Amino acid sequence: MSKKRLKRRKLKENLFNKRRLIILNEDTFEETFSLKLTLMNVFVVATLGAIIITFVTTFIIAFTPLREFIPGYSSSKLKKDAMELALKSDSLTRALKKNEAYIQSIQKVLTGELEYAKFNKDSILSAADEVPSQADLAASKQELELREQVAKEEKKALSKKSKKE
């Protein structure tokens, strides 16, 4: 037989040979516990134990508040608070713009740049509420040319790929 085969046979014998684990009382040398094992049994039990510990740890981290301590995860309360603060700051910004427009109009009346009769609080506040204009989303000439160039290159690449196959 070849050396490789002998090594395999020896490894197989070592994995499946029965061994005995004995726990003795040190003072009386009385056998407390005895167990027959093979190296394969020990390997299987250790592997299953590692897999179970991994799953339990993953479950604990994924489904408990413990995940908040891992960098990259944020708590749901933190997300909710951030959303509320963003909404409040947005409404405060709008209110500030209205107040500034109103104060500027009053200053114009007081300095005499605007007559009191033309001063209307509602029109000033509605001017401050103007919705920002939407950006022009139409493609520019350069963008259209770039799109055509990319489409041509993709067609060339596909035709070369189909020729190779």
Side-chain angles (χ1 to χ4, degrees):
M1 279 195 259
S2 67
K3 289 183 180 182
K4 199 174 194 181
R5 216 179 243 176
L6 287 173
K7 285 183 181 181
R8 282 186 187 168
R9 180 180 281 176
K10 193 166 186 168
L11 179 65
K12 187 176 179 183
E13 286 175 7
N14 281 335
L15 283 176
F16 293 104
N17 277 346
K18 293 197 179 197
R19 292 177 169 70
R20 195 170 202 184
L21 174 69
I22 302 173
I23 298 176
L24 300 173
N25 185 344
E26 193 172 308
D27 295 333
T28 63
F29 293 110
E30 179 184 350
E31 185 176 311
T32 307
F33 180 72
S34 175
L35 187 63
K36 288 184 181 179
L37 297 171
T38 64
L39 288 177
M40 183 59 89
N41 289 349
V42 172
F43 176 72
V44 168
V45 168
T47 303
L48 288 175
I51 290 171
I52 289 170
I53 287 173
T54 303
F55 279 120
V56 168
T57 304
T58 304
F59 181 79
I60 288 172
I61 290 173
F63 299 109
T64 63
L66 200 62
R67 71 174 171 256
E68 295 172 11
F69 295 105
I70 297 174
Y73 282 102
S74 60
S75 68
S76 57
K77 183 182 183 303
L78 181 67
K79 289 179 182 176
K80 182 181 174 185
D81 290 346
M83 180 64 85
E84 287 177 9
L85 289 174
L87 292 173
K88 282 182 182 179
S89 67
D90 202 27
S91 63
L92 286 174
T93 304
R94 271 192 250 116
L96 181 64
K97 284 182 183 178
K98 284 182 181 180
N99 288 340
E100 286 176 352
Y102 183 69
I103 289 171
Q104 286 176 356
S105 297
I106 289 179
Q107 284 176 347
K108 286 181 183 179
V109 169
L110 292 176
T111 57
E113 293 177 24
L114 184 66
E115 293 181 23
Y116 180 71
K118 293 182 182 178
F119 179 72
N120 186 355
K121 182 179 178 182
D122 293 332
S123 63
I124 293 168
L125 294 179
S126 65
D129 277 342
E130 288 181 19
V131 179
S133 62
Q134 293 291 330
D136 183 24
L137 299 179
S140 66
K141 188 175 182 179
Q142 292 173 341
E143 187 177 350
L144 292 173
E145 290 174 0
L146 178 64
R147 287 180 185 179
E148 289 176 16
Q149 183 181 357
V150 169
K152 287 177 185 177
E153 289 176 5
E154 286 178 351
K155 285 181 183 178
K156 286 180 184 178
L158 287 174
S159 65
K160 286 180 182 178
K161 187 177 180 182
S162 63
K163 287 180 182 178
K164 286 182 181 179
E165 293 173 354

